[in-house]
Amino acid sequence: MFNRIRIHSVMVLDQDEAIEFYVGKLGFQVEADVDLGFMRWLTVVLPSDPEREILLEVPGPPSQSEEVAAQLRDLVTKGAMGVAAILTTDDCQKTYDELSAKGVEFTEKPTPQPYGVDCALRDPFGNHIRITQPAAGPVEVTEEDKARWRGDA
């Protein structure tokens, strides 16, 4: 039936500011930037993964009513939209250091996890982005890991 995910959407509040962040700081490149009249179709890709696009979408008509768009903007700003993307890297600490030097503000520093090493940041609008250096081999989640994630440790 389906064979891959080609585009997924991340809600942003200003597309020019989104380009500055996603392209200027995270290293994406603009794949499409088209004025459709009713909206600006703006997608970015990673140079290493050019077939998977992120649509940097501003909430609003015609896909949402003004009322729903206002609610979405509020949720984005609060960071309540869930994980926008999980990006992988070969070296989480190096990526963290490079992005920190560019002024990217992280919400979590690189931390060893059963599935690898990861850290987290928010884009200028509040979207949650994780950066993961995947672990080699099978992943084993221990009861200690679960307790730490619950805040019991």
Side-chain angles (χ1 to χ4, degrees):
M1 179 182 250
F2 304 111
N3 54 25
R4 68 185 181 110
I5 297 172
R6 180 169 171 236
I7 301 173
H8 83 272
S9 172
V10 173
M11 294 289 173
V12 299
L13 304 184
D14 180 294
Q15 290 174 309
D16 291 325
E17 188 176 355
I19 289 173
E20 288 176 25
F21 182 76
Y22 284 89
V23 174
K25 295 195 175 182
L26 297 188
F28 283 80
Q29 59 188 36
V30 173
E31 177 67 15
D33 189 356
V34 182
D35 180 358
L36 298 178
F38 62 92
M39 71 173 287
R40 180 179 176 189
W41 182 265
L42 174 62
T43 66
V44 294
V45 298
L46 286 171
S48 60
D49 191 11
E51 294 186 6
R52 185 172 308 208
E53 299 173 61
I54 296 177
L55 172 64
L56 300 173
E57 183 178 11
V58 175
S63 58
Q64 299 97 25
S65 68
E66 284 295 344
E67 179 182 358
V68 171
Q71 293 170 341
L72 285 170
R73 287 189 293 270
D74 188 46
L75 290 171
V76 168
T77 302
K78 291 177 178 173
M81 297 293 284
V83 176
I86 299 175
L87 308 174
T88 60
T89 181
D90 294 331
D91 188 333
C92 189
Q93 184 65 54
K94 180 180 176 186
T95 301
Y96 173 87
D97 292 341
E98 290 174 355
L99 294 178
S100 292
K102 291 181 178 180
V104 173
E105 295 182 24
F106 283 81
T107 56
E108 295 177 40
K109 294 182 177 182
T111 304
Q113 303 286 356
Y115 51 83
V117 178
D118 79 351
C119 59
L121 60 95
R122 292 203 188 277
D123 74 7
F125 315 103
N127 291 302
H128 181 78
I129 297 171
R130 298 202 74 83
I131 298 172
T132 300
Q133 175 187 332
V139 173
E140 180 182 337
V141 177
T142 66
E143 290 305 315
E144 292 172 348
D145 294 322
K146 293 176 185 177
R148 181 169 43 93
W149 293 334
R150 287 190 303 262
D152 297 343

